[in-house]
Amino acid sequence: MYPPSRKDFISLTLNDPHSHTYNNGKHRRQSCWRKWKQLSRLQRSLILFLLALLLIFGLLSYPSMTVQWRGLSDREDWLELNDREVKDIPPEVKSVSDQAEAKAPPPVAGPHMGPAVDPDAGADAVVGPKAPNVPILAKPRIKNKTFQNKRGPPSLQKDGNISDAIGRKKQVQEVVQDEEGEEVDKEKKIVSWRGALIEADQATEPPPSTNEKEAAAPPANPADPVPSEAGAVDRLEAVRDAFRHAWKGYKEYAWGHDELKPISRSFGEWFGLGLTLIDSLDTMWILGLKEEFAEAKDWVEKELSFDKNVDVNLFETTIRILGGLLSTYHLTGDQLFLEKAKDLGFRLMPAFKTPSKIPFSDVNIGKGIAHPPRWTSDSTLAEVTSIQLEFRELSRLTQDPQYQEAVNEVMRLVHKLPGKQDGLVPMFINTNSGQFTHKGVFTLGARADSYYEYLLKQWIQGGKAEDDLLEDYLQAVEGVKKHLVRQTGPSRLTFVGELSHSRFNPKMDHLVCFLPGTLALGAHNGLPGDHMDLAVQLMETCHQMYQQMETGLSPEIVHFSLQASDGNNLIVKPADRHNLLRPETVESLFYMYRFTKDPKYRDWGWDILLSFNNYTKVLGGGYTSINNVRDPLNPGPRDKMESFFLGETLKYLYLLFSDDTEQLSLDKYVFNTEAHALPIWPSPPK
Ligand code: DMJ
């Protein structure tokens, strides 16, 4: 579903004719009218003209003022375009009765699921059948409200990261009555939506005298991994447990569909291609979950068909499905996945038939027809420049050059296009003219992020032989340092902001947290050492984006304060407080740990996993994105588990904790932007 378009209102004050606010109102109106009549026609016309001008000016400037106030100047179309990172807050998850009232249509693939449709909204567009028992999110019973509101930087904290996270977790033990009366009665348990199982007698309201005792020693959260007999928590097993729990929900309520809606125990459809299942294949393989892998493979073999009259987004389908199939083929050697990848790759090719050779965002893979979004002929820059790793690999495997030629052409065009600023690229490109549009706005976040990532990764994939890619990447990093990197006033935290027509906006999307990992990967491949310095600093900031939130989970967007006098480094606006289970920070932690072996990166990742378990884990299976990372008492489940939680977030956490660095060595594999591993090509004989 598209988020509601913004509406602008002009407020007119209509005086009540019976109002007696002004004693002399009638008389005054009459004398004004007389004066107006006394003016010459020219004078009246002039006044009317000026008033009209004022009105037009007011109307025009109102929306941009609103947008600027929200920190989105010059990007108003972000809100209307339903881009893949739209910063909307969906309605609160409804109660059971509300949900039951809303008659959900059957899952049908349709144009609303096409390209620039926000995946966050996409799954909501079509709702699957409701499970008979939908959990109610009751108001939590708070046992201890003494959690801190703000958390200082590490230097200001006495506790280490892990104990800190555990403390936070204990402070917010809460109980929510599950609606499944019968089941709960049988098990003699009351369960919270977060998945914490709490004994029934603990959940009944205790007499006031026992409250204190309970607060002092809250029960352990059974959602947490149990330490082994030796006392050490098996972090790898904890990730496997998290995956199994997520998979359980998907299997029970969304099997073969795109995304799980864990609260309503149903599913959402975006493309109708089993998105979560395919995105998860290589994760299951890597985690050693053989049974789960086997049943998923069976579905791919028997059920997955791309011969469907359905519009898909070229970028999302490429990174998640094509990338997932190719990666699984490489890990398993099973031809099934290569055959499926070939079929899909071929069906996506009509997207490149445009006047400029810059691909359209949407393709109907059944009809072989591509088109741009309904409202524009622009494509998103990151989308057209982050499909290269996959198509290039497809050409190598099939010995059919058409895929590689198509995506290389896009890179060639972008390489020589005017409108960049020190290597930084605008966010849109027109499929007719092949020119950048919406120039002058630069970000490393939504709509541009993976352009930078894929410059480096294509260079690595191709054996470091393509100089244009390296040149563009190095120039872009310099551009980032020159225009976008700043430090906060209070604690000198380094962050990457945005530039809008030379005006700096200290705003950073969580998406930008891919950057430390990418910079570190570049440095590992021989690029300048100061890239690694920047990576270390940015990694700390991304960590703080989690650490300083009451739930221990990062918001979608953070604003940074530049004034030394400001108390807070991080400012989170109400509209930006959601967390979609995104992977970028744990992805970077994985790279940073691999290259430095500093255990703190593992600890930071562990804290994040604990927080996901505490605030996003849903009873019965699945994890949900949440509305408010600042409210541990009511994080507000959004009822959606993104496919990238299984495809990326859990995979990177597992690889972060794994000591087997030969498993997916970064000298042999390059991860696509959805964490699917593709081989680095062997260098051609010299
Ligand atoms: C994923 O689909 C990919 O990582 C993409 O590059 C950005 N957005 C999501 C995860 O946040």
Side-chain angles (χ1 to χ4, degrees):
M1 188 187 299
Y2 297 98
S5 55
R6 247 171 348 100
K7 292 196 175 76
D8 301 320
F9 297 96
I10 303 170
S11 134
L12 294 177
T13 310
L14 300 175
N15 283 331
D16 176 359
H18 307 295
S19 151
H20 298 288
T21 319
Y22 300 107
N23 295 336
N24 226 359
K26 193 178 170 195
H27 176 75
R28 212 177 297 158
R29 275 198 301 272
Q30 279 172 356
S31 82
C32 280
W33 180 244
R34 218 173 291 129
K35 278 181 191 150
W36 172 254
K37 287 296 235 182
Q38 284 163 2
L39 295 175
S40 72
R41 184 173 291 182
L42 180 70
Q43 284 171 317
R44 273 186 278 172
S45 313
L46 247 175
I47 291 173
L48 284 174
F49 177 69
L50 280 174
L51 280 174
L53 257 182
L54 265 175
L55 187 68
I56 291 168
F57 180 76
L59 278 174
L60 287 177
S61 61
Y62 180 70
S64 74
M65 277 162 61
T66 318
V67 170
Q68 272 176 20
W69 175 75
R70 297 196 51 196
L72 293 174
S73 68
D74 296 305
R75 298 168 72 171
E76 51 269 65
D77 43 353
W78 288 25
L79 297 172
E80 262 112 41
L81 290 178
N82 290 317
D83 71 21
R84 66 195 170 94
E85 314 299 352
V86 169
K87 324 312 185 265
D88 63 328
I89 299 191
E92 292 292 324
V93 173
K94 293 177 182 169
S95 69
V96 176
S97 50
D98 288 344
Q99 289 182 0
E101 272 166 31
K103 287 254 173 355
V108 247
H112 58 281
M113 286 181 238
V117 176
D118 177 11
D120 307 336
D124 296 333
V126 185
V127 185
K130 297 272 177 265
N133 293 312
V134 181
I136 292 178
L137 302 182
K139 204 172 163 62
R141 186 166 63 85
I142 306 155
K143 290 185 177 170
N144 183 350
K145 286 187 179 173
T146 57
F147 50 82
Q148 293 161 274
N149 271 337
K150 256 169 256 139
R151 301 157 55 79
S155 53
L156 301 179
Q157 293 177 32
K158 287 191 190 124
D159 293 340
N161 295 319
I162 295 180
S163 57
D164 211 21
I166 291 170
R168 184 171 53 232
K169 167 188 67 213
K170 285 178 181 165
Q171 286 154 359
V172 293
Q173 283 287 344
E174 65 190 65
V175 180
V176 180
Q177 180 90 43
D178 191 288
E179 215 211 1
E180 294 176 300
E182 274 184 42
E183 210 179 301
V184 171
D185 282 344
K186 237 186 281 156
E187 292 178 357
K188 293 265 181 257
K189 298 221 192 276
I190 288 185
V191 289
S192 92
W193 67 270
R194 288 192 281 114
L197 296 169
I198 297 163
E199 293 299 330
D201 49 354
Q202 286 173 345
T204 49
E205 199 63 54
S209 56
T210 60
N211 266 344
E212 240 176 72
K213 217 169 97 193
E214 223 182 271
N221 186 345
D224 288 346
V226 185
S228 69
E229 271 175 26
V233 173
D234 184 342
R235 292 178 173 184
L236 291 177
E237 199 47 41
V239 182
R240 275 194 212 100
D241 281 347
F243 187 96
R244 283 192 201 101
H245 185 81
W247 190 249
K248 179 174 183 276
Y250 178 75
K251 196 175 156 186
E252 270 181 57
Y253 308 116
W255 184 251
H257 296 286
D258 283 342
E259 285 154 334
L260 168 69
K261 292 165 81 85
I263 304 290
S264 54
R265 297 184 173 175
S266 59
F267 57 85
E269 215 66 288
W270 188 9
F271 308 135
L273 297 174
L275 194 63
T276 297
L277 189 147
I278 303 175
D279 221 358
S280 307
L281 284 167
D282 58 357
T283 307
M284 289 184 268
W285 186 263
I286 292 163
L287 269 57
L289 300 172
K290 291 186 183 148
E291 251 176 57
E292 289 85 350
F293 180 83
E295 61 198 3
K297 182 193 151 179
D298 197 53
W299 183 87
V300 172
E301 199 166 5
K302 298 188 179 129
E303 309 286 338
L304 178 61
S305 166
F306 297 121
D307 191 11
K308 271 188 162 180
N309 177 11
V310 56
D311 274 0
V312 303
N313 174 275
L314 171 68
F315 164 74
E316 298 289 358
T317 308
T318 301
I319 64 167
R320 300 190 198 210
I321 303 187
L322 184 58
L325 291 168
L326 289 173
S327 166
T328 309
Y329 164 67
H330 279 296
L331 295 177
T332 63
D334 191 326
Q335 286 291 326
L336 165 70
F337 301 107
L338 179 57
E339 291 310 315
K340 292 287 179 190
K342 282 191 210 165
D343 183 23
L344 177 62
F346 185 76
R347 289 170 184 276
L348 292 174
M349 287 307 283
F352 295 90
K353 287 191 192 131
T354 67
S356 65
K357 303 209 172 133
I358 298 295
F360 285 136
S361 54
D362 299 52
V363 199
N364 186 306
I365 50 173
K367 293 184 180 163
I369 299 168
H371 59 89
R374 257 171 275 146
W375 52 85
T376 175
S377 53
D378 287 354
S379 283
T380 295
L381 195 91
E383 294 196 356
V384 300
T385 54
S386 313
I387 49 181
Q388 279 65 15
L389 291 175
E390 300 81 356
F391 278 90
R392 282 156 50 113
E393 177 59 12
L394 189 59
S395 271
R396 196 178 72 93
L397 291 170
T398 58
Q399 297 294 304
D400 180 349
Q402 64 164 322
Y403 307 108
Q404 174 152 4
E405 278 167 8
V407 293
N408 280 355
E409 178 63 12
V410 177
M411 294 313 294
R412 264 196 297 276
L413 290 168
V414 173
H415 173 68
K416 53 178 203 233
L417 212 54
K420 292 184 208 158
Q421 189 165 343
D422 295 315
L424 303 178
V425 287
M427 297 182 295
F428 295 96
I429 187 162
N430 191 272
T431 49
N432 292 321
S433 67
Q435 300 296 314
F436 291 130
T437 63
H438 300 70
K439 289 186 200 164
V441 181
F442 301 103
T443 174
L444 264 271
R447 295 190 176 278
D449 47 1
S450 42
Y451 160 74
Y452 302 99
E453 177 188 350
Y454 268 38
L455 285 175
L456 177 74
K457 289 183 172 176
Q458 285 176 80
W459 178 69
I460 294 171
Q461 177 191 43
K464 306 184 194 174
E466 295 149 289
D467 293 341
D468 285 354
L469 293 168
L470 177 62
E471 189 189 306
D472 287 351
Y473 178 74
L474 288 173
Q475 208 188 352
V477 176
E478 290 312 303
V480 170
K481 287 197 281 187
K482 182 169 166 193
H483 299 290
L484 305 183
V485 171
R486 295 276 192 289
Q487 290 193 321
T488 59
S491 309
R492 314 219 66 73
L493 274 180
T494 304
F495 68 95
V496 179
E498 299 183 348
L499 203 62
S500 178
H501 303 288
S502 307
R503 236 194 33 242
F504 182 74
N505 184 1
K507 159 185 177 282
M508 180 166 145
D509 295 352
H510 179 272
L511 288 168
V512 181
C513 289
F514 80 92
L515 190 59
T518 298
L519 289 169
L521 180 65
H524 174 73
N525 279 280
L527 302 188
D530 65 342
H531 289 201
M532 190 62 186
D533 300 338
L534 182 56
V536 170
Q537 290 166 24
L538 290 174
M539 192 74 260
E540 170 67 37
T541 303
C542 292
H543 163 59
Q544 290 299 326
M545 285 164 63
Y546 284 74
Q547 175 77 1
Q548 294 195 25
M549 297 302 120
E550 288 78 354
T551 55
L553 292 172
S554 169
E556 178 73 355
I557 300 172
V558 163
H559 286 76
F560 292 91
S561 116
L562 295 167
Q563 304 301 324
S565 54
D566 284 354
N568 295 331
N569 286 287
L570 275 66
I571 301 148
V572 187
K573 300 194 173 179
D576 304 334
R577 292 180 174 176
H578 46 296
N579 178 294
L580 305 184
L581 313 171
R582 285 197 191 278
E584 290 74 19
T585 295
V586 293
E587 168 185 356
S588 284
L589 288 171
F590 155 67
Y591 286 104
M592 296 301 288
Y593 181 76
R594 277 270 175 113
F595 299 136
T596 66
K597 293 286 179 291
D598 186 336
K600 79 177 178 195
Y601 295 126
R602 280 185 163 176
D603 292 344
W604 293 354
W606 178 241
D607 280 356
I608 293 174
L609 178 61
L610 290 181
S611 294
F612 278 134
N613 276 340
N614 276 319
Y615 297 102
T616 71
K617 192 172 179 180
V618 180
L619 177 84
Y623 287 74
T624 178
S625 40
I626 55 172
N627 276 328
N628 191 353
V629 297
R630 305 231 68 166
D631 188 352
L633 301 179
N634 182 19
R638 289 169 74 127
D639 196 15
K640 179 164 173 181
M641 183 173 77
E642 300 278 353
S643 78
F644 51 67
F645 182 63
L646 286 81
E648 293 193 74
T649 310
L650 293 179
K651 185 189 290 155
Y652 281 129
L653 279 167
Y654 185 87
L655 293 172
L656 167 66
F657 301 139
S658 169
D659 286 328
D660 182 0
T661 49
E662 269 314 290
Q663 181 183 28
L664 296 170
S665 154
L666 289 170
D667 296 318
K668 295 185 184 137
Y669 288 93
V670 65
F671 286 92
N672 85 342
T673 192
E674 188 77 5
H676 296 305
L678 301 172
I680 294 173
W681 299 342
S683 323
K686 293 195 173 140

